[in-house]
């Protein structure tokens, strides 16, 4: 392994930064079977690299070196009894060993199961998913292995597992074969497990490549958990399309970006909201050129475009990046469907989630719910789920009921307006799609994030995550009152609870994709919201006037305004 050079050498150049995406270096024939290309061939690419943090520093391997080390790991797995179609679990945060294991599993024709660390006992996962092996951080015993030993396997000069080597590469995958197990994010309850088909993975990677033409000179940064299968697509893309890729995590992403100068960053809206706040805190950014320079400086200086999805992106945040010439392309998809639509160069409309991909088809049912079909489904059922979950989500046609509400404009751009689960019904039988209220509320001064409640109640209330300690309750009350003047009467908020801390992954109020975990928010702040309803006696029937917004602190906070 080599250490990635600093972005600024004595000569003022950078070996990675000096590469410019070159259309002439794109593959002549698009690779449409990425999984079998990785599984059945040895990568000979010694020009492009994978960058990653290891032993407290940024290092890199050529893609040929990465592939060779993955073959050595495959040999070890074979020696430990892993065969084609066996399931290998990985329950660890992002690290290069994760990538090596996943590629090794593909070379054996087996199945990678990405599992959220810390959520389950290893013994529980082994049994529930029928795993041959499970890799975790520390605590090796029996079928549970320490993921740290994978690096030792990768660097061995004598390849173990002679049976694997003697029989050559694995037999690969048929289109309907399972190559990975996906877990849903758990934002709407206990995570469900889906077995992903090889054809669905190949189809998504090919569609993205057609839209974005990732090529020589590109460096795609992955920092969201690679246990989510889509995050591994960009590693597969590097191996088959010939470009760099960088592996980081949400803690080290900005540090690693400065060292490896990516051209593309794959992030959720919450990450870009934090980046926006960071840039704004550093100084005035009204001038587009100054803002562009500040954004580029935070991400290494060579960004071609930014990618976002997995949760709704606010218009102010999208405009912040797009208006200064750093394109931020929003898309839409689910674990059950993979990528459905995507804004991209030549077909982008801010506020939409892009046009539907050619291999996807959509319709809306009688209740306005978005239904998605595809030529190669991820699957047509959950393998692991609670009673009734399959019937609720998968239709007999093989289509997926998304529970999202949206519309398509006259030019074919898809808009997601909210989820059925996001509809609150007030006691006066008024139905409100709360994301349409949360988005403008989230943009008020002093608010970092928010969640709106009110199901079965006489009016809407909100729990807000403060932008900084010491929220001015009176100023916040005035801001919400002014917002109410711009909202429809049923959307107006008459009570606000200020949380003592920001919503985060660590405190369980956001999931790994930075989505609100509404059930946990309702549980944690339910008593505070009940007190608001006791104090603020309002019935919102459209005739309410002259009522001040009540702002209180959560139980561990300060006195009410």
């Amino acid at each position: 392994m080599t250490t990635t050079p600093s972005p600024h050498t004595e000569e003022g150049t950078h070996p990675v930064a000096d590469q410019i995406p070159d259309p002439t270096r794109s593959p002549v024939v698009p690779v449409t079977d990425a999984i079998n290309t990785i599984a059945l061939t040895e990568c000979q690419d010694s020009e492009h690299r994978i960058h990653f943090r290891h032993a407290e520093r940024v290092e890199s391997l050529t893609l040929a070196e990465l592939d060779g080390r993955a073959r050595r790991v495959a040999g070890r797995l074979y020696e430990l009894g892993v065969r084609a179609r066996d399931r290998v679990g990985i329950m660890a945060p992002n690290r290069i060993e994760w990538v090596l294991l996943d590629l090794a599993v593909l070379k054996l024709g087996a199945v990678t199961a990405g599992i959220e660390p810390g959520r389950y006992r290893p013994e529980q996962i082994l049994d529930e998913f029928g795993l041959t092996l499970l890799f975790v951080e520390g605590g090796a015993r029996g079928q549970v292995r320490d993921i740290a030993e994978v690096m030792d396997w990768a660097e061995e000069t004598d390849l173990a597992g002679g049976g694997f080597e003697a029989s050559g590469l694995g037999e690969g995958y048929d289109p309907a074969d399972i190559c990975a197990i996906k877990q849903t994010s758990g934002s709407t309850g206990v995570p469900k497990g889906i077995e992903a088909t090889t054809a669905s993975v190949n189809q998504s990677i090919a569609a993205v490549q057609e839209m974005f033409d990732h090529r020589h000179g590109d460096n795609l940064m992955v920092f969201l958990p690679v246990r989510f299968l889509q995050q591994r697509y960009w590693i597969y893309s590097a191996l088959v399309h010939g470009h760099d890729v960088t592996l980081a995590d949400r803690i080290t992403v900005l540090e690693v970006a400065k060292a490896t100068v990516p051209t593309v960053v794959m992030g959720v809206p919450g990450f870009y909201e934090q980046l926006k706040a960071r840039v704004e805190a550093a100084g005035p950014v009204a001038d587009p050129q100054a803002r562009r320079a500040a954004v580029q400086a935070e991400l290494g200086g060579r960004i071609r475009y930014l990618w976002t999805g997995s949760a709704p992106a606010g218009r102010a945040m999208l405009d912040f990046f797009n208006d200064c010439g750093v394109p931020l392309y929003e898309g839409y998809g689910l674990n059950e469907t993979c990528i459905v639509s995507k804004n991209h160069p030549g077909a982008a409309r801010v506020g939409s989630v892009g046009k539907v991909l050619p291999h996807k088809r959509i319709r809306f049912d009688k209740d306005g719910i978005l239904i998605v079909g595809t030529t190669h489904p991820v699957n047509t059922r959950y393998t692991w789920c609670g009673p009734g979950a399959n019937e609720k989500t998968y239709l007999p046609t093989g289509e997926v009921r998304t529970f999202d509400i949206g519309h398509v404009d006259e030019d074919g751009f898809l808009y997601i307006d909210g989820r059925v689960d996001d509809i609150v019904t007030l006691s006066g039988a008024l139905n409100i799609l709360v994301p349409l209220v949360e988005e403008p509320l989230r943009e008020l001064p002093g608010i970092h994030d928010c969640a709106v409640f009110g199901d079965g109640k006489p009016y809407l209330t909100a729990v807000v995550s403060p932008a900084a300690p010491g929220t001015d309750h009176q100023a916040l009350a005035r801001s919400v009152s002014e917002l109410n003047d711009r909202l429809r009467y049923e959307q107006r908020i008459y009570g606000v609870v200020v949380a003592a801390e920001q919503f985060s992954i660590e405190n369980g109020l956001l999931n790994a994709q930075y989505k609100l975990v509404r059930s946990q928010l309702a549980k944690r702040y339910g008593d505070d919201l009940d007190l608001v309803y006791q104090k603020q006696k309002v019935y919102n029937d459209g005739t309410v006037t002259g009522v001040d917004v009540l702002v209180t602190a959560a139980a561990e906070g300060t006195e009410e305004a």
Side-chain angles (χ1 to χ4, degrees):
M1 286 184 292
T2 60
T3 302
T4 297
S6 167
H8 304 289
T9 65
E10 291 182 1
E11 293 78 17
T13 61
H14 190 300
V16 177
D18 289 345
Q19 295 179 13
I20 298 173
D22 181 1
T24 66
R25 300 291 294 277
S26 300
V28 175
V29 179
V31 176
T32 58
D33 191 348
I35 294 300
N36 279 316
T37 299
I38 293 167
L40 298 175
T41 63
E42 294 184 41
C43 179
Q44 303 294 327
D45 188 347
S46 59
E47 185 173 9
H48 302 107
R49 310 184 76 87
I50 181 169
H51 311 275
F52 54 92
R53 204 165 185 272
H54 180 70
E56 301 303 318
R57 65 180 186 179
V58 176
E59 301 181 355
S60 71
L61 294 168
T62 68
L63 297 183
E65 290 171 333
L66 175 70
D67 189 76
R69 282 160 172 74
R71 284 179 51 77
R72 293 179 189 138
V73 174
R76 280 292 193 177
L77 293 178
Y78 189 93
E79 187 178 62
L80 292 169
V82 178
R83 298 294 185 269
R85 313 301 175 257
D86 284 347
R87 299 167 179 159
V88 176
I90 309 175
M91 191 164 66
N94 287 7
R95 51 191 295 169
I96 189 62
E97 293 91 341
W98 218 117
V99 176
L100 289 166
L101 274 170
D102 180 51
L103 297 178
V105 168
L106 291 179
K107 291 183 180 299
L108 289 169
V111 179
T112 298
I115 311 295
E116 181 179 355
R119 189 162 190 152
Y120 309 93
R121 292 179 295 103
E123 295 77 12
Q124 173 190 359
I125 286 298
L126 278 168
D127 180 62
E128 184 171 340
F129 284 88
L131 303 178
T132 301
L133 294 173
L134 173 63
F135 289 83
V136 302
E137 287 192 326
R141 57 195 176 281
Q143 291 172 273
V144 180
R145 310 288 302 202
D146 187 345
I147 196 170
E149 66 184 328
V150 172
M151 187 60 79
D152 293 333
W153 297 348
E155 294 179 346
E156 289 174 340
T157 54
D158 294 326
L159 180 64
F164 170 72
E165 186 66 5
S167 62
L169 292 171
E171 296 179 358
Y173 300 83
D174 287 335
D177 283 343
I178 304 303
C179 63
I181 293 172
K182 307 171 70 171
Q183 277 193 308
T184 63
S185 64
S187 59
T188 58
V190 176
K192 297 175 279 289
I194 310 166
E195 294 183 288
T197 63
T198 299
S200 71
V201 175
N202 285 332
Q203 191 172 57
S204 292
I205 294 173
V208 169
Q209 183 63 15
E210 184 176 349
M211 288 187 289
F212 290 99
D213 190 20
H214 298 134
R215 56 189 182 259
H216 173 75
D218 270 324
N219 179 8
L220 278 58
M221 169 161 271
V222 178
F223 72 90
L224 296 176
V226 290
R227 70 174 183 272
F228 295 123
L229 176 59
Q230 184 179 319
Q231 300 308 310
R232 307 203 294 277
Y233 287 0
W234 320 125
I235 297 166
Y236 304 160
S237 173
L239 287 162
V240 299
H241 293 300
H243 58 76
D244 282 20
V245 65
T246 293
L247 179 68
D249 58 39
R250 62 187 180 84
I251 303 299
T252 63
V253 54
L254 295 181
E255 170 197 342
V256 174
K258 289 180 174 65
T260 62
V261 288
T263 59
V264 179
V265 176
M266 311 289 184
V268 293
F271 167 73
Y272 296 113
E273 291 283 4
Q274 293 173 352
L275 180 59
K276 174 177 177 285
R278 182 182 174 97
V279 170
E280 290 174 329
V285 288
D287 176 67
Q289 293 303 317
R291 189 191 316 164
R292 174 185 170 85
V295 170
Q296 288 282 6
E298 289 288 341
L299 297 174
R302 206 169 60 100
I303 293 297
R304 177 158 76 94
Y305 77 89
L306 304 173
W307 169 301
T308 195
S310 299
R315 181 59 185 258
M317 183 267 287
L318 290 168
D319 288 343
F320 180 87
F321 292 97
N322 285 298
D323 289 353
C324 74
V326 182
L328 175 55
Y329 295 117
E330 185 178 9
Y332 170 75
L334 304 172
N335 274 293
E336 293 84 351
T337 63
C338 201
I339 306 167
V340 175
S341 63
K342 188 70 185 175
N343 283 293
H344 60 89
R349 182 160 295 175
V350 176
S352 80
V353 292
K355 292 187 175 182
V356 176
L357 271 57
H359 62 276
K360 291 289 196 292
R361 59 186 183 275
I362 66 168
R363 61 184 177 89
F364 296 91
D365 72 6
K366 61 182 177 59
D367 298 315
I369 295 173
L370 176 65
I371 307 295
V372 176
T374 183
T375 53
H376 293 293
V378 174
N379 210 309
T380 56
R381 59 187 287 273
Y382 299 116
T383 305
W384 298 270
C385 66
N390 274 315
E391 293 78 6
K392 182 180 177 182
T393 300
Y394 292 99
L395 301 179
T397 57
E399 296 169 299
V400 173
R401 182 185 289 113
T402 68
F403 295 95
D404 287 317
I405 299 169
H407 67 279
V408 177
D409 71 13
E410 65 278 6
D411 295 318
F413 287 90
L414 174 65
Y415 292 75
I416 302 299
D417 300 318
R419 286 185 63 79
V420 172
D421 296 342
D422 294 334
I423 294 177
V424 165
T425 303
L426 297 180
S427 58
L430 297 168
N431 295 323
I432 300 102
L433 198 58
V434 294
L436 299 181
V437 182
E438 288 170 342
E439 181 173 340
L441 180 62
R442 194 173 286 120
E443 294 172 5
L444 294 181
I447 295 180
H448 172 258
D449 205 347
C450 64
V452 169
F453 296 92
D455 206 42
K457 302 295 185 181
Y459 58 87
L460 294 181
T461 53
V463 178
V464 303
S465 170
T471 300
D472 184 332
H473 288 193
Q474 292 182 345
L476 180 57
R478 288 192 297 271
S479 294
V480 176
S481 291
E482 292 170 1
L483 173 62
N484 281 342
D485 292 339
R486 305 194 301 270
L487 296 173
R488 293 171 55 88
Y489 81 87
E490 69 271 17
Q491 296 175 321
R492 293 171 184 167
I493 299 165
Y494 291 108
V496 175
V497 173
V498 179
E501 59 180 348
Q502 292 188 351
F503 306 160
S504 69
I505 296 171
E506 289 75 16
N507 61 26
L509 302 180
L510 300 178
N511 68 14
Q513 294 174 303
Y514 293 84
K515 294 180 183 177
L516 295 172
V517 184
R518 294 186 187 274
S519 60
Q520 288 300 315
L521 284 159
K523 181 178 180 180
R524 182 169 302 187
Y525 297 107
D527 290 344
D528 298 297
L529 293 171
D530 287 343
L531 285 173
V532 169
Y533 287 112
Q534 291 173 23
K535 294 178 180 180
Q536 182 81 308
K537 301 294 186 180
V538 176
Y539 179 71
N540 188 6
D541 61 356
T543 64
V544 177
T545 59
V547 176
D548 293 331
V549 175
L550 176 66
V551 177
T552 69
E556 64 271 37
T558 57
E559 296 297 319
E560 67 180 70

